[in-house]
Amino acid sequence: MRAECRAAALARSFTTAQLSWWHVGDEVADAARIVVSELVTNAVLHSGATGVTLRLDCTAEKIVIRVQDDGIWRERTTAYHYDPAGQLAESGRGLHLVHAHATDCGMQRTPVGSCAWACLPRPGRER
């Protein structure tokens, strides 16, 4: 999809449809939508990408989410102010949400951009 503001909404809709097809329970589906939204939003806002690709894989043990972009990640141009209470922050919680839901996650450079990924446990499986 194009790296634009509506990409996260499109990605969430795709995720909802695919997880429903796979009969993934509501709790995992909700977590997956949050993770997808955060990873796609980060790619759109911070990579300078023109395109973003979402890939979902499902095994008996986990859901794997991959967000590939064709951009080059930019350094922050503004100072980061850590607000532990989160009361003043307007953004910056995305990766905390990903870490809260995922059993494993990361980001790697690719020959054409980068790929952020996260693994979520399937229902009935331990984290």
Side-chain angles (χ1 to χ4, degrees), residues 7-60:
L10 293 172
R12 282 191 305 273
S13 293
F14 172 78
T15 299
T16 297
Q18 188 60 55
L19 295 182
S20 176
W21 177 259
W22 287 332
H23 303 288
V24 172
D26 291 342
E27 186 176 336
V28 173
D30 289 343
R33 280 188 291 273
I34 290 169
V35 170
V36 162
S37 185
E38 295 303 333
L39 295 181
V40 170
T41 297
N42 281 348
V44 169
L45 293 179
H46 303 297
S47 74
T50 59
V52 177
T53 302
L54 169 63
R55 179 177 174 166
L56 302 174
D57 291 301
C58 182
T59 70

